[in-house]
Amino acid sequence: MTTPLCANAPKGVSHASYHPKHAPPYKSFSSYVRARGPVLLRTARSLTANPSDAEDLLQTALTKTYVAWDRIEDHRALDGYVRRALVNTRTSQWRKRKVDEFACEELPEPAGLPAPDPAEEQVLHDAMWRAVMKLPDRQRAMVVLRYYEDLSEVQTAEVLGVSVGTVKSAVSRALGKLRQDPELVPVR
């Protein structure tokens, strides 16, 4: 059975739910939402993991835009205004999220593992350093910068004055040699 439509109601709105006082005062807002809605929804989806949350986020941002519609001077910049509303709304939601804690019979953490023996850790550290010292100078420098100094590949390349590809290939070869080192075989 089809529901009769009110002659004055917007297309697709049933007579029972339409009342003229609910008609949007800004026809330009309605046309803007129809024209730009899909693009704005893609932006909202990029801000959330759940498509339903993205729709809610967009709805909230559009509501804020609607409320400010008569204060927006440059309607050519509406996309930027709505995107800013999306980001601000998402940030507010993220800040307001509540983390619930529940008391339970068992602790969620697994039984504590015994602390590693400091002497064994030192033996492992020494074996690793001896293996690194066996590497050729250039590979050793790249491994030390990448993993001991925690530099990125780009930063390592800049420090050594080589290309990023050279750093990648040299570090790969060095790690291969370290995997084959007999002193480190028990570690794997």
Side-chain angles (χ1 to χ4, degrees):
M1 178 178 150
T2 60
T3 306
L5 295 177
C6 178
N8 298 331
K11 191 175 193 178
V13 176
S14 71
H15 176 69
S17 64
Y18 178 73
H19 190 273
K21 73 177 184 180
H22 296 119
Y26 304 117
K27 289 189 179 212
S28 58
F29 177 78
S30 298
S31 61
Y32 170 75
V33 171
R34 275 192 298 277
R36 301 299 294 161
V39 173
L40 296 170
L41 183 58
R42 279 196 301 272
T43 302
R45 283 188 177 155
S46 70
L47 296 172
T48 63
N50 184 338
S52 297
D53 291 341
E55 291 172 0
D56 291 343
L57 177 63
L58 178 59
Q59 195 68 21
T60 303
L62 289 174
T63 301
K64 290 178 180 182
T65 304
Y66 180 79
V67 169
W69 191 257
D70 57 349
R71 294 189 318 256
I72 300 172
E73 293 177 12
D74 186 7
H75 282 247
R76 292 174 298 183
L78 283 171
D79 281 357
Y81 185 92
V82 175
R83 284 189 180 103
R84 176 53 48 199
L86 284 167
V87 171
N88 291 345
T89 302
R90 183 65 182 136
T91 302
S92 296
Q93 290 172 346
W94 177 79
R95 286 181 181 155
K96 290 178 186 176
R97 76 173 181 212
K98 184 178 176 186
V99 178
D100 294 325
E101 293 182 18
F102 301 100
C104 59
E105 294 288 324
E106 296 179 27
L107 293 176
E109 295 87 18
L113 299 172
D117 182 13
E120 287 180 16
E121 285 185 342
Q122 187 61 46
V123 168
L124 176 61
H125 181 268
D126 292 343
M128 180 58 100
W129 191 247
R130 281 191 304 275
V132 168
M133 294 303 290
K134 292 178 193 174
L135 294 172
D137 292 342
R138 187 171 169 163
Q139 288 180 358
R140 181 173 58 244
M142 291 183 191
V143 167
V144 167
L145 289 173
R146 282 285 292 128
Y147 299 106
Y148 285 89
E149 297 296 323
D150 200 29
L151 296 182
S152 69
E153 291 169 339
V154 172
Q155 292 168 325
T156 302
E158 288 175 5
V159 168
L160 297 175
V162 297
S163 71
V164 175
T166 301
V167 171
K168 289 180 180 182
S169 63
V171 168
S172 176
R173 284 193 302 275
L175 292 178
K177 289 179 182 178
L178 291 174
R179 285 186 196 101
Q180 300 302 318
D181 192 292
E183 281 191 74
L184 298 178
V185 170
V187 176
R188 288 188 268 150

